Amino acid sequence: MSRRFKWIGGSATAVVTGAALLIWTGALRSPAQHQYDPVELYTVKREPLVISVNQPGEITSRHMTVIKSQIRGLLTIEWIIDEGTIVKPGDVLVKLDTTDLLQTQIDRAQTRDNAQSALVAAQVAMENTQSQNESSIEQAELTLYFAQLALTEYTAPQGQYEQDLMSAQGNVELAKTTLANAKMTLAGSKELYDHKYIPESQYKADEAAEKKAEIDLEISKGSLALLQKYTHDQQLKTLQSAVTQAKASLLRVKNQAQAYLANAKIQLKTAQANLDRAQRNLDQTNEDIANATIRSPVAGRVVYAPQGSGWHRSEPLSVGSTVRYNQDIIDIPESNGMIVNIKIDESQRDKVAEGMPVLISGPNLPDGGLTGRLASIAVYVDPSGWWNNNMKVYSAKVDIDGDTRNLRTGMTCQTQIVVASYPGVLDVPLQAVTQIGDQHMVYFPTAQGLRAHPVEIGMDDGRKVNIVAGLKAGDVVSLVPPLEPAGRTDAMVIKEVEKGTSGGPKTAGVSPNSPGGSKGEDRAQRDVRFLNRLVVARQMGTLDKLNLDAITRRKLYAVLDKAQAGELAILDAATRAKLLAAMTPQPTTAPADRDSAQPTPPATRRHQR
């Protein structure tokens, strides 16, 4: 039989044997004197206690010149300088194989030349289009001018119509006069013919002349009427239509000219863009060929850049290796100014602070080790650990004291950050302390069983925790406190996350009254820890169960994405208020049920570091 409970200093699972559990439960149920195994008890004593955080690290230069491949694509190393060589600015470090680049240079030069020819053709086409447009527009304008001129000529005073009208009217008057003369001549001829003065043929001729004059008069009248009623309107409409058609034709010609010109401009612009692109590609190839010989920009000692990361480290680069664009090839560290890069687990984050002394040791370091100071700690969780959600670390840097010229980048070491040291304090093993609500407890063994006793704790070294108040030397406490009741619900987990917004995390590693504790921290530090807890709760799936509207959830997750990526993240007041409201557990029983329900004992839980 076993139950899960949490130890001070971190989350751990312990298994308690059935016999031990029977001893404890027997003490509660039997008035007989309870018996304890001596291994389950600890006598409080005063002893030295050093609080430290131990982390592996890697020595590197504070200022490092990283030599990278600046060539787009993959190239093979043709030659590389030996590692450890001391170089000066301008010395050749690496030569890359440029066989493919030289062929690319030839191809791209041909492409550039073709693009130049296409540009010249587009420029000529542009000029021809402009000239043709001008000619077409000029011809259309001339046609319109002639049409307007013909209309004006026909309709103007004393124009063609008035002249035709006057001519038709004159023909009618002339026909009338001719008819009158013919009538007078016929009358004279008839009198002469009646007296036999002229022959009949003459009379008949005069009679025919009179008939012809009558017909000519009718024809003249008909021509005048035709001109006035039909011919004039027909000619006027024809001339007006010619003007309208000429105007429409001119507009069409201008629109077509504009379209032709726009298309020619596009073709010219496209040809210019193609030439620019071809020239850029050729310039890039020329630059790549020049960058294939990599020279040192600074003086220093050559160190091959590590390839890969973490468990995926590979062999250093060598002749024949393939390198990609922007890949690290060589590091040239600053000779004096070394630091140690370390990762601090989130359970230890609240213990340490910038400026704390650090002891540095390692197989390649002096026997007495080195000393240093914690220079900086990242504000947010290191995003490089995204692949392992169970491991949350903060990047930190340690300044090494003294002369570091004999140190080389890449050396491994062990760091011990000294948080605090006490010559003689009361302490107990971590497993002896539990937490009920906000109160830390130890358990005294009595004849009737274990009795809870409140204590105030200080810092711990991972094995023992300092007892600030509540115990004295010689007190005996149990190393096997009572187990925690049933596991916490999601609502309880969220409630614990919410506690980080006001009082900071309840951490056994830092006493509330000690420097660096929750009372000494500012609002910004509390907000950072609150966001980090929300990041963890999101990864556990707990935040997904909250009743949040879509907008609030998007805002919240956007802030958490920034926090997880190491960027500055601020949760606005409105979103925070809605989040806390959703975190507050709602009653699930009716009032009558709550009155009759049995009280639930407070959860006893091992304190988390």
Side-chain angles (χ1 to χ4, degrees):
M1 177 179 180
S2 64
R3 289 189 179 180
R4 179 177 63 85
F5 60 93
K6 296 176 177 58
W7 301 97
I8 297 179
S11 296
T13 302
V15 177
V16 180
T17 63
L21 184 60
L22 289 174
I23 293 174
W24 172 59
T25 54
L28 296 178
R29 298 177 182 177
S30 173
Q33 184 173 3
H34 193 88
Q35 299 296 322
Y36 299 94
D37 189 333
V39 299
E40 299 177 3
L41 305 178
Y42 178 80
T43 301
V44 180
K45 54 183 175 291
R46 190 176 296 275
E47 57 185 353
L49 181 63
V50 176
I51 309 299
S52 64
V53 174
N54 301 328
Q55 296 291 343
E58 181 177 298
I59 295 176
T60 186
S61 175
R62 179 181 287 105
H63 300 291
M64 179 84 72
T65 299
V66 181
I67 307 301
K68 300 174 180 287
S69 171
Q70 298 300 316
I71 301 177
R72 278 75 174 172
L74 300 177
L75 288 184
T76 302
I77 295 178
E78 190 175 80
W79 178 87
I80 186 169
I81 195 170
D82 292 335
E83 188 173 22
T85 304
I86 297 178
V87 297
K88 61 183 182 296
D91 286 352
V92 177
L93 301 176
V94 181
K95 290 183 179 179
L96 301 176
D97 184 10
T98 60
T99 303
D100 293 339
L101 285 176
L102 292 175
Q103 182 59 48
T104 301
Q105 183 185 47
I106 295 174
D107 295 340
R108 290 185 170 179
Q110 182 63 44
T111 301
R112 190 273 314 274
D113 293 342
N114 292 339
Q116 284 180 331
S117 299
L119 178 62
V120 172
Q123 290 172 337
V124 171
M126 175 76 172
E127 294 173 358
N128 290 341
T129 299
Q130 289 176 327
S131 176
Q132 181 63 40
N133 287 344
E134 292 173 357
S135 298
S136 298
I137 292 174
E138 183 178 359
Q139 182 63 39
E141 289 176 340
L142 189 61
T143 300
L144 175 61
Y145 172 76
F146 287 151
Q148 291 173 333
L149 186 64
L151 178 62
T152 302
E153 179 186 12
Y154 184 73
T155 58
Q158 298 183 353
Q160 185 64 44
Y161 171 67
E162 288 191 0
Q163 291 180 9
D164 292 345
L165 180 61
M166 290 172 61
S167 176
Q169 289 174 343
N171 290 336
V172 171
E173 294 300 325
L174 178 61
K176 287 181 179 180
T177 301
T178 301
L179 179 60
N181 292 334
K183 285 182 179 295
M184 290 177 61
T185 300
L186 179 60
S189 295
K190 185 177 185 312
E191 185 178 353
L192 292 176
Y193 174 70
D194 289 341
H195 291 87
K196 306 294 182 179
Y197 293 128
I198 59 175
E200 183 180 4
S201 59
Q202 181 66 38
Y203 173 74
K204 294 294 182 181
D206 291 340
E207 187 179 33
E210 191 265 344
K211 293 291 183 182
K212 182 180 181 302
E214 288 180 349
I215 293 172
D216 289 342
L217 177 60
E218 293 300 323
I219 291 173
S220 298
K221 289 181 179 179
S223 296
L224 177 60
L226 185 64
L227 174 65
Q228 290 177 328
K229 292 183 178 180
Y230 303 106
T231 304
H232 171 65
D233 289 344
Q234 179 183 2
Q235 187 66 16
L236 181 61
K237 295 295 184 182
T238 300
L239 295 174
Q240 288 176 338
S241 176
V243 172
T244 302
Q245 293 297 325
K247 288 182 179 180
S249 178
L250 176 60
L251 181 59
R252 284 195 301 271
V253 169
K254 287 183 176 181
N255 290 339
Q256 288 177 349
Q258 187 176 9
Y260 293 154
L261 183 61
N263 183 66
K265 288 182 178 179
I266 292 174
Q267 296 300 325
L268 180 61
K269 185 176 181 180
T270 301
Q272 183 65 57
N274 290 338
L275 176 60
D276 293 343
R277 181 169 56 254
Q279 187 64 54
R280 285 196 303 270
N281 291 339
L282 180 59
D283 293 343
Q284 182 62 63
T285 302
N286 294 336
E287 183 181 349
D288 288 344
I289 293 175
N291 289 335
T293 300
I294 304 175
R295 300 179 181 274
S296 176
V298 296
R301 185 184 299 273
V302 171
V303 178
Y304 288 170
Q307 303 301 312
S309 60
W311 296 102
H312 302 284
R313 289 292 176 95
S314 58
E315 293 295 326
L317 297 174
S318 60
V319 174
S321 297
T322 300
V323 296
R324 64 183 182 279
Y325 174 68
N326 213 33
Q327 180 177 348
D328 296 352
I329 301 177
I330 288 176
D331 295 334
I332 303 180
E334 183 183 280
S335 59
N336 190 19
M338 308 297 282
I339 62 173
V340 180
N341 287 327
I342 61 175
K343 304 287 187 181
I344 299 177
D345 188 87
E346 66 173 343
S347 63
Q348 306 286 346
R349 173 63 179 83
D350 292 334
K351 283 187 177 182
V352 299
E354 295 178 1
M356 286 184 173
V358 181
L359 304 179
I360 308 167
S361 59
N364 297 319
L365 300 182
D367 294 338
L370 301 172
T371 60
R373 294 279 171 179
L374 189 59
S376 63
I377 312 172
V379 177
Y380 295 104
V381 172
D382 189 347
S384 63
W386 62 267
W387 49 272
N388 186 355
N389 289 334
N390 295 324
M391 182 179 179
K392 305 299 178 183
V393 295
Y394 294 81
S395 297
K397 298 184 184 297
V398 176
D399 284 337
I400 303 176
D401 298 333
D403 189 358
T404 60
R405 285 178 293 182
N406 293 328
L407 300 179
R408 297 186 63 180
T409 183
M411 286 183 172
T412 58
C413 61
Q414 185 69 27
T415 63
Q416 182 181 6
I417 306 173
V418 180
V419 178
S421 60
Y422 305 99
V425 294
L426 296 177
D427 58 25
V428 298
L430 286 170
Q431 65 265 32
V433 183
T434 62
Q435 182 177 344
I436 301 177
D438 293 333
Q439 180 62 59
H440 294 94
M441 294 287 187
V442 297
Y443 288 83
F444 289 159
T446 67
Q448 291 75 34
L450 297 177
R451 175 172 59 85
H453 179 75
V455 294
E456 181 182 346
I457 67 171
M459 306 183 78
D460 69 88
D461 65 353
R463 298 181 304 106
K464 292 185 178 182
V465 60
N466 176 26
I467 301 299
V468 178
L471 293 178
K472 64 182 183 300
D475 286 343
V476 177
V477 298
S478 173
L479 296 177
V480 188
L483 297 177
E484 180 184 13
R488 294 172 295 169
T489 64
D490 288 338
M492 296 170 65
V493 172
I494 296 174
K495 192 65 176 178
E496 290 179 10
V497 173
E498 184 269 340
K499 289 180 180 179
T501 62
S502 56
K506 303 300 183 292
T507 305
V510 180
S511 170
N513 297 322
S514 63
S518 58
K519 290 185 178 180
E521 68 182 1
D522 57 18
R523 174 64 181 271
Q525 292 172 322
R526 294 198 302 271
D527 288 346
V528 168
R529 275 195 284 273
F530 178 47
L531 289 178
N532 286 334
R533 284 176 169 81
L534 290 177
V535 169
V536 175
R538 179 187 180 184
Q539 293 169 345
M540 293 169 59
T542 307
L543 290 184
D544 296 335
K545 301 177 182 179
L546 292 179
N547 185 19
L548 295 173
D549 60 84
I551 296 178
T552 301
R553 188 176 297 277
R554 282 199 299 270
K555 288 183 178 180
L556 173 61
Y557 285 0
V559 172
L560 296 184
D561 288 341
K562 286 186 176 181
Q564 195 167 5
E567 302 176 6
L568 179 61
I570 300 176
L571 193 62
D572 62 90
T575 303
R576 178 190 290 267
K578 292 181 180 180
L579 174 63
L580 297 182
M583 286 179 174
T584 303
Q586 299 297 323
T588 58
T589 59
D593 294 335
R594 289 200 301 267
D595 294 339
S596 60
Q598 294 296 326
T600 302
T604 304
R605 58 190 175 96
R606 300 285 181 173
H607 181 72
Q608 295 181 340
R609 286 170 63 186

